[in-house]
Amino acid sequence: MANLIRRGRIESGNWPRLDADGLTALATQKQGERDSPAGVLIPFELWRSKHDLCATLGTEVGVLIGDDDDLTEVAAHLPHAGLIAVHFPRFTNGCGYSIARLLRGRYGYQGELRAVGDIMRDQLFYLGRVGFDAFELRDDQDCEHALNAFSDFTHPYQASSDEPVPLFRRRVG
Amino acid sequence: MYVYDSIDQRVVDERVAQFRDQTARHLAGRLSEDDFRPLRLQNGLYIQRHAPMLRVAIPYGMLNSAQLRKLAFIARVYDRGYGHFSTRQNIQFNWPELARVPDILAELASVQMHAIQTSGNCIRNITSDHFAGIAPDEIVNPLTWAEILRQWSTLHPEFAFLPRKFKIAINGATADRAAIQVHDIGLQAVQADDGAIGFKVLVGGGLGRTPIIGQVLREYLPWQHLLSYLDAILRVYNRFGRRDNLYRSRIKIQLKEQGLERFLAEVEQEWSWSKDGPNTLTEAEVQRVASRFTQPAYRNLPASCEALQVQLVQDRSFAAWHRRNVHPHRVPGYAAVTLSLKMTGVPPGDATAEQMDAIAGLAERYSFGEARVTHEQNIVLADVEQAALHELWQEARGLGLATPNIGLLTNIIACPGGDFCSLANARSIPVAEDIQRRFDDLDYLFDIGELDLNISGCMNSCGHHHVGHIGILGVDKHGSEFYQVSIGGAQGEQASLGKVIGPSFGAQDVGAAVERLIACYLEHRDSDAERFIDTVRRLGIEPFKEYVYGKSHSSRTHRERQLASA
Ligand code: SF4
């Protein structure tokens, strides 16, 4: 089922999350036998310790981070990360919004930033603002309908990752 | 009154459209109750005991007459003909129908109002001093800053799903009428020696289950940094505030667990990268916001009005009202007036549609078409000519809005309690009414003097019982309603939290307990000038405790003794 929005487009394909065993299993499969997923998500600590192995998987790798990961550690490894996924355990847990804002604003991360977990249409406007450009929606969400969410508001007041200059600096006159 | 420009208007219009879509999806079964709940809460919509409850924002308490009429209209058409003004400068409607709430929001948007972030785990309605802009003791007019904060907090993309609700209050006078010490962030506008404006920043205050007085995070924050600094505090809270335990999720707990020093270090660290960035406020923006406020066209009047002096001598009832409900104004010849929503027999803070319409009329005729809502659940007409006070008083009296009890015992702050609120342990309204009846005698009430009595129906403390000179809290004992009584709380610069005097009382005994507290005070006060709270501070709670629970003669009420000796 198509549940991934990447840079404004709907894509299909689930990106499985790998733990240490899953990572070893995928890595040891023979090239030809691989039933390769479009990509995989690997938790930050695992990815950091098995960085070289991850690079041999022959599929896209996203680094999965959560509320408890130390962002300064993550930041130190940013140059090696092509894709970062931030996990939202529940949509009412908004910690990931600040993580995104910091990755983009403070640490200058420019690669793909994907919101995963309990993601639904009604968060997309805010998620897009703080710097996410990819969204793995919950299975029950209608992706087509969800695309409208990005235009819910025309002139938000605040500065954020999508618009670093707050409205008040563009409004005077 | 801040007047929207086309962008402000568009924000609220688009919010209505967004909520209309969400409601439609919910009603069509495509958005589950669990998913819908946080979304509707961010539009002030609760599902209460009897029906939904809609909380509408009145930013920093300011209303114009068109808005008041709209609220009256909503009360009449979508509700049961009345509304309840809350302790956070909001108004609540208790009986709206879910499917019609988007229409109500559209009605509100048509008069530049909304219900954005009046509930939910986000930045709530910014509150301020109800005498902002007119108080003689004002150092900085907080209204411009409150509006700047309103815009900054409205639909802030990063802070819509915080660990818990987040309340910000701002004050600009020497007296603190915004209760900044019991807010998640309290801002005191100050002026440096060179005239530059800045803010003293308090953090981690709050009532509720764990009442705490806020701590000073920064003595002086230059105004330019207001938004980036608040962003930094909120970001530290959003990242490290606790989400594992509802009761430990407020910023005050984070502060308590980390200690002020570590918390401050984190904020400073966070602030270091965003400070001096694009979020730095500009002179032009401050000017722009300030210039969008309507300015009352004050007349040149003498400081003291002779006609008023005569009326005060001739009319004793008017003089009593003037003493309690009329407040000084920085402009000569003007005064501010509190219309009391605390008439005995009416739930505190309730106003009927007819009263709201009438208040709109009074505002137009006497106060440049504007009114303010106070956190004590009354309405203020802020700019009344002194010569018109007597006439205004007569009109207000006819409307049941002239009870001369501001600052006195019967000006009870009370939450809706068990009659409406599904979280309540006990009812607040009948207790308030019982107490008001016991102190209905005006001479007696005036003799008792200044006293704040606050009632909450449960630990959530919407009635701010912790900071009442007398605080009453509804508790549940084996499934029946009981009330815990505390004394010694206070709001304002000398904020303090009340102490519980002893075992709780059944509903029928609370009123008598309050009477005994008052009798004890009257017996012990060293002069008329010593207020109840002063006596409690001087003597501690022991004498009161004894008086209330003791079996001796002293447990008879003042009234009983008066009767006995008569
Ligand atoms: S204090 Fe409790 S009972 Fe009263 S309104 Fe708040 S939640 Fe409801």
Side-chain angles (χ1 to χ4, degrees):
Chain A
M1 187 183 161
N3 69 340
L4 186 61
I5 297 176
R6 279 180 104 177
R7 297 181 201 267
R9 292 236 176 80
I10 299 172
E11 283 183 19
S12 53
N14 273 320
W15 288 41
R17 286 118 171 99
L18 299 185
D19 57 12
D21 292 345
L23 175 61
T24 319
L26 184 64
T28 49
Q29 276 175 19
K30 294 231 175 64
Q31 279 292 337
E33 294 167 11
R34 272 187 197 168
D35 178 18
S36 283
V40 293
L41 300 179
I42 301 177
F44 172 68
E45 287 300 336
L46 179 61
W47 172 78
R48 189 169 63 159
S49 60
K50 298 271 171 60
H51 187 248
D52 294 341
L53 186 62
C54 292
T56 66
L57 293 177
T59 185
E60 271 197 87
V61 171
V63 181
L64 185 64
I65 62 177
D67 296 3
D68 296 333
D69 284 310
D70 182 345
L71 270 199
T72 50
E73 288 288 320
V74 174
H77 291 80
L78 279 180
H80 311 290
L83 191 161
I84 290 182
V86 177
H87 179 62
F88 287 78
R90 282 172 48 75
F91 83 94
T92 49
N93 177 338
C95 184
Y97 292 87
S98 286
I99 293 175
R101 182 82 177 94
L102 286 167
L103 287 175
R104 293 287 194 214
R106 182 170 187 177
Y107 300 114
Y109 175 69
Q110 291 180 350
E112 178 173 328
L113 191 57
R114 186 181 300 183
V116 304
D118 194 15
I119 305 295
M120 51 178 213
R121 183 225 187 272
D122 303 277
Q123 292 139 278
L124 295 185
F125 182 77
Y126 289 155
L127 288 172
R129 290 224 60 208
V130 296
F132 289 100
D133 53 6
F135 313 87
E136 188 189 274
L137 276 84
R138 229 165 53 187
D139 284 342
D140 64 347
Q141 298 291 301
D142 173 348
C143 271
E144 287 290 343
H145 183 257
L147 283 176
N148 299 328
F150 296 103
S151 46
D152 275 354
F153 296 95
T154 315
H155 298 295
Y157 291 114
Q158 307 77 8
S160 199
S161 303
D162 63 335
E163 171 53 87
V165 179
L167 179 68
F168 68 77
R169 283 184 182 264
R170 294 172 278 128
R171 193 181 198 181
V172 177
Chain B
M1 187 81 215
Y2 178 80
V3 180
Y4 281 11
D5 70 2
S6 61
I7 290 180
D8 301 313
Q9 186 64 49
R10 192 154 180 181
V11 168
V12 295
D13 289 343
E14 288 175 337
R15 179 62 156 193
V16 175
Q18 184 193 43
F19 190 66
R20 203 180 279 287
D21 172 62
Q22 290 167 341
T23 308
R25 276 187 283 141
H26 174 62
L27 292 173
R30 287 187 286 123
L31 189 62
S32 72
E33 175 51 28
D34 275 356
D35 290 343
F36 184 51
R37 185 186 309 114
L39 304 174
R40 65 170 162 74
L41 285 175
Q42 305 232 351
N43 274 297
L45 185 61
Y46 287 76
I47 304 293
Q48 287 283 34
R49 191 153 278 192
H50 306 290
M53 182 271 275
L54 180 68
R55 183 182 293 151
V56 174
I58 303 174
Y60 38 92
M62 302 278 280
L63 284 170
N64 62 31
S65 52
Q67 294 173 328
L68 269 161
R69 290 211 169 85
K70 184 59 83 175
L71 294 175
F73 174 83
I74 290 169
R76 211 174 274 127
V77 173
Y78 296 92
D79 209 291
R80 296 193 181 171
Y82 67 96
H84 171 79
F85 289 99
S86 80
T87 53
R88 290 206 75 254
Q89 298 179 310
N90 297 303
I91 182 169
Q92 300 178 171
F93 294 106
N94 277 307
W95 312 93
E97 191 188 317
L98 173 59
R100 297 177 83 193
V101 170
D103 294 337
I104 301 178
L105 297 182
E107 297 277 4
L108 291 169
S110 74
V111 291
Q112 310 190 347
M113 291 184 81
H114 59 76
I116 297 171
Q117 291 162 215
T118 52
S119 181
N121 295 335
C122 49
I123 306 170
R124 301 287 189 86
N125 186 30
I126 309 292
T127 55
S128 188
D129 177 4
H130 47 265
F131 294 139
I134 61 132
D137 68 336
E138 189 160 279
I139 310 153
V140 176
N141 181 342
L143 292 175
T144 304
W145 305 101
E147 174 59 25
I148 286 171
L149 291 179
R150 184 191 73 85
Q151 298 188 15
W152 160 80
S153 61
T154 298
L155 310 179
H156 197 303
E158 195 180 338
F159 305 130
F161 298 99
L162 296 168
R164 200 81 175 85
K165 58 188 166 187
F166 203 93
K167 299 175 180 178
I168 301 176
I170 178 166
N171 190 60
T174 45
D176 172 17
R177 285 176 293 263
I180 59 169
Q181 300 193 59
V182 289
H183 278 75
D184 295 285
I185 291 180
L187 298 167
Q188 173 68 42
V190 288
Q191 198 158 25
D193 294 341
D194 62 357
I197 288 171
F199 301 92
K200 178 164 152 182
V201 182
L202 280 74
V203 72
L207 300 174
R209 191 169 293 262
T210 317
I212 302 180
I213 299 287
Q215 300 186 58
V216 177
L217 197 59
R218 215 183 164 83
E219 281 293 343
Y220 184 82
L221 176 74
W223 61 268
Q224 292 88 342
H225 300 304
L226 182 60
L227 301 187
S228 63
Y229 196 71
L230 292 189
D231 269 338
I233 297 175
L234 265 296
R235 193 168 292 130
V236 167
Y237 171 56
N238 192 34
R239 289 204 57 215
F240 304 117
R242 288 179 62 168
R243 289 183 157 90
D244 59 331
N245 179 338
L246 184 68
Y247 300 125
R248 314 200 68 80
S249 55
R250 296 288 290 267
I251 196 172
K252 61 189 174 188
I253 307 289
Q254 183 182 3
L255 196 67
K256 205 168 132 188
E257 289 180 350
Q258 295 190 340
L260 182 66
E261 222 164 286
R262 229 190 90 203
F263 183 83
L264 176 64
E266 256 166 24
V267 169
E268 292 289 323
Q269 227 254 336
E270 179 51 50
W271 192 39
S272 63
W273 74 272
S274 53
K275 182 172 185 273
D276 297 319
N279 246 344
T280 309
L281 275 167
T282 60
E283 188 69 50
E285 171 64 357
V286 177
Q287 290 301 332
R288 190 192 69 81
V289 173
S291 70
R292 294 203 69 83
F293 275 84
T294 52
Q295 299 297 333
Y298 296 118
R299 296 200 304 149
N300 255 326
L301 298 171
S304 150
C305 169
E306 270 172 45
L308 172 65
Q309 297 315 321
V310 175
Q311 288 154 349
L312 285 173
V313 174
Q314 286 175 347
D315 192 333
R316 207 171 148 252
S317 309
F318 173 63
W321 177 79
H322 185 273
R323 193 169 138 205
R324 296 313 324 177
N325 297 35
V326 176
H327 321 276
H329 197 293
R330 66 176 172 82
V331 177
Y334 285 84
V337 165
T338 303
L339 301 173
S340 172
L341 297 180
K342 308 296 178 63
M343 195 168 79
T344 299
V346 178
D350 274 15
T352 63
E354 290 65 38
Q355 283 178 321
M356 289 187 243
D357 272 336
I359 293 168
L362 294 179
E364 270 161 2
R365 266 170 289 133
Y366 295 100
S367 195
F368 300 98
E370 293 183 0
R372 296 148 182 234
V373 180
T374 78
H375 79 271
E376 292 183 342
Q377 305 173 287
N378 293 308
I379 305 279
V380 162
L381 298 181
D383 301 290
V384 182
E385 283 187 25
Q386 289 180 9
L389 285 171
H390 191 263
E391 206 183 314
L392 168 59
W393 169 68
Q394 286 174 311
E395 285 203 53
R397 210 156 58 142
L399 296 163
L401 297 169
T403 313
N405 61 354
I406 303 311
L408 302 181
L409 192 152
T410 58
N411 179 34
I412 295 175
I413 293 182
C415 78
D419 290 301
F420 296 100
C421 176
S422 49
L423 301 170
N425 287 325
R427 284 171 296 170
S428 318
I429 294 168
V431 170
E433 191 181 329
D434 176 45
I435 295 170
Q436 285 174 329
R437 289 202 191 288
R438 285 167 195 263
F439 294 92
D440 220 11
D441 182 291
L442 267 190
D443 290 329
Y444 185 41
L445 188 65
F446 272 67
D447 182 34
I448 296 165
E450 279 184 31
L451 197 147
D452 295 342
L453 193 149
N454 299 8
I455 308 176
S456 303
C458 79
M459 259 306 176
N460 286 317
S461 315
C462 302
H464 300 176
H465 65 278
H466 298 293
V467 291
H469 299 167
I470 297 178
I472 297 176
L473 166 67
V475 290
D476 179 89
K477 255 196 193 172
H478 317 298
S480 45
E481 297 177 319
F482 273 81
Y483 297 87
Q484 199 175 63
V485 175
S486 55
I487 58 173
Q491 54 185 10
E493 317 79 80
Q494 301 233 14
S496 58
L497 303 168
K499 291 202 180 79
V500 178
I501 59 168
S504 50
F505 301 91
Q508 64 296 339
D509 300 323
V510 191
V514 172
E515 284 189 330
R516 287 197 288 275
L517 286 172
I518 298 305
C520 175
Y521 154 67
L522 291 175
E523 213 168 279
H524 285 99
R525 72 176 171 191
D526 65 5
S527 76
D528 287 6
E530 190 179 64
R531 301 170 306 160
F532 177 87
I533 179 72
D534 303 325
T535 308
V536 176
R537 283 184 175 150
R538 180 166 58 83
L539 299 177
I541 71 170
E542 280 312 315
F544 290 89
K545 214 169 161 169
E546 245 168 61
Y547 212 103
V548 171
Y549 295 101
K551 295 216 160 45
S552 68
H553 69 286
S554 61
S555 67
R556 284 158 75 190
T557 67
H558 182 70
R559 278 270 176 85
E560 282 162 353
R561 269 174 291 118
Q562 275 184 334
L563 288 176
S565 62

